Amino acid sequence: MMQSMRKAIITGVRNAEVVDVPVPRPKEDWALVKVLVTPMCTEYKAFVQGGRHEFLGHEAAGEVVEVAQPCGVSVGDRVVVMPQYPCAKCDLCLAGEYIYCENCYDFDRFTSSPEGKATYAQYLLKPAGLLPRIPDDLSVEEGSLACCAFGPSFGAFDRIGLNAEDTVLITGLGPVGLGAIVNARFRGARVIGAEMEPWRVERARELGAEAVLDPRDADCAAQVRALTGGLGVSAALDCSGTPAAHRLCIDAVRRRGRVVFVGECWEPTTLKVSDDMLRKGLTVVGSWHYNRSRVNAIFEVVRRMRREVELLVSHVLPMSRVQEALEISASHQCAKILLHPWE
């Protein structure tokens, strides 16, 4: 086994580098995964803001290359790497809702090293229970989309029971929002999008959005109602994490409609209890990821929507070009970007 590996870090404002660090070692029921694909997510925000960030990423796919003891995976398994380090013992974990675990491992303390938690790296460590096997008929690149490309919206649509009777508004058509279009179309729903970036507007239409509105328009909610016989959409999903988009979702959904938020947001949102929750009768849900038991259902989305999957992945780059990859990600002229750590 190699003693050192390559990983990408951010060293300052719009500056990324690839450095050498020690290869981590597995213990107990954790496995060492050789990372073959690293999907990029929101790391561009740290890239733009600056500072030093040495542990980038939270999604990956690869091959198990070492285990400390017999566990839920074996050497040679192709796996998707799920986020977080849950305890695997609490009621939430046992029910598949591990993402909400309140007893997560302290990675550095458990492994005696901080190395192995970044996905922008050639190797990583993960509990075996968070390494679902990729089906033989899917490539590793396709399997990698079972995390943030499809996961947040898949879990959200499960929560609100989205189906072919629905018209859904999706706000924020970055990689997560574009993946949401694919998930919605897989379920037979009609899709209306809200996005201001021209590149992503066009890609959303190619993926099956019937209309894509500009959320900066003051009458955007009225435009949604005009497209739905004056009623409003039956469901809305926000992927942008902005209070303005939250408000648009709430205003554009019809009475007794469902609203779900998946985009991270640390700002206050103007949810009006009487007007929105009581008199309009809305169901408002927050959703982070999907239940672990549903991973095979996501693989089925990938399997049946291969044309859309090809459109969802806009760039594939070697990790050696991480500077360029982060510049593209920060430009928003992209969908999902995949990195190959060994190139």
Side-chain angles (χ1 to χ4, degrees):
M1 177 63 65
M2 297 172 58
Q3 298 302 309
S4 66
M5 66 176 181
R6 305 284 280 167
K7 77 169 185 178
I9 66 172
I10 292 170
T11 57
V13 177
R14 288 186 175 272
N15 191 65
E17 299 177 10
V18 178
V19 299
D20 290 309
V21 297
V23 175
R25 289 289 177 261
K27 62 183 294 187
E28 297 184 14
D29 63 345
W30 288 37
L32 181 68
V33 177
K34 180 179 180 180
V35 181
L36 301 177
V37 181
T38 299
M40 296 176 66
C41 196
T42 57
E43 295 78 28
Y44 74 89
K45 295 180 181 179
F47 177 71
V48 170
Q49 293 165 359
R52 189 173 182 88
H53 302 270
E54 298 193 11
F55 303 99
L56 301 175
H58 50 263
E59 48 181 326
E63 179 185 345
V64 175
V65 293
E66 186 179 345
V67 295
Q69 65 185 38
C71 56
V73 294
S74 301
V75 171
D77 286 348
R78 300 183 315 144
V79 295
V80 182
V81 177
M82 293 289 110
Q84 302 292 349
Y85 303 95
C87 72
K89 299 174 183 176
C90 68
D91 288 346
L92 286 167
C93 286
L94 294 175
E97 300 290 348
Y98 69 90
I99 199 73
Y100 301 108
C101 178
E102 296 180 283
N103 308 299
C104 289
Y105 283 91
D106 179 327
F107 184 97
D108 295 12
R109 183 176 179 181
F110 178 75
T111 65
S112 302
S113 170
E115 298 302 340
K117 60 188 174 187
T119 62
Y120 281 49
Q122 291 178 325
Y123 293 100
L124 59 76
L125 293 175
K126 212 70 179 180
L130 293 186
L131 298 173
R133 292 179 183 84
I134 299 171
D136 291 342
D137 63 327
L138 299 185
S139 69
V140 177
E141 286 78 8
E142 289 172 325
S144 76
L145 302 178
C147 197
C148 291
F150 288 130
S153 58
F154 188 92
F157 291 155
D158 269 358
R159 289 284 301 275
I160 63 172
L162 192 81
N163 60 51
E165 298 179 7
D166 285 305
T167 297
V168 60
L169 170 67
I170 302 172
T171 56
L173 302 180
V176 171
L178 292 171
I181 295 174
V182 180
N183 272 323
R185 295 301 299 133
F186 176 78
R187 293 166 186 250
R190 176 191 180 203
V191 178
I192 298 171
E195 174 58 49
M196 64 183 72
E197 292 287 346
W199 191 99
R200 288 175 169 171
V201 169
E202 181 58 30
R203 187 55 56 101
R205 290 180 175 136
E206 292 180 78
L207 286 169
E210 182 177 305
V212 184
L213 308 176
D214 191 332
R216 295 169 295 187
D217 290 349
D219 64 345
C220 190
Q223 293 176 38
V224 174
R225 287 192 291 274
L227 290 169
T228 53
L231 294 175
V233 290
S234 54
L237 169 71
D238 176 61
C239 305
S240 72
T242 63
H246 296 165
R247 193 65 243 172
L248 174 58
C249 287
I250 292 166
D251 290 340
V253 77
R254 67 186 61 179
R255 290 175 180 267
R256 296 293 293 164
R258 301 103 77 204
V259 176
V260 58
F261 301 144
V262 301
E264 293 278 13
C265 180
W266 311 108
E267 303 171 58
T269 285
T270 55
L271 179 64
K272 304 169 186 175
V273 172
S274 289
D275 289 344
D276 301 330
M277 302 291 290
L278 303 185
R279 286 168 175 76
K280 200 170 181 181
L282 299 188
T283 297
V284 181
V285 175
S287 184
W288 195 1
H289 202 43
Y290 62 93
N291 189 288
R292 172 67 175 79
S293 67
R294 295 283 282 155
V295 67
N296 286 326
I298 286 196
F299 289 144
E300 190 62 20
V301 174
V302 176
R303 190 175 284 118
R304 293 195 198 177
M305 308 291 281
R306 280 200 159 101
R307 172 192 166 274
E308 289 79 4
V309 166
E310 290 181 4
L311 289 170
L312 185 60
V313 178
S314 62
H315 298 78
V316 180
L317 294 167
M319 192 175 71
S320 59
R321 291 165 59 188
V322 67
Q323 174 74 27
E324 178 186 350
L326 284 165
E327 292 283 6
I328 294 170
S329 185
S331 77
H332 302 308
Q333 306 300 298
C334 60
K336 199 66 174 175
I337 302 173
L338 305 182
L339 296 180
H340 286 166
W342 292 87
E343 299 176 6

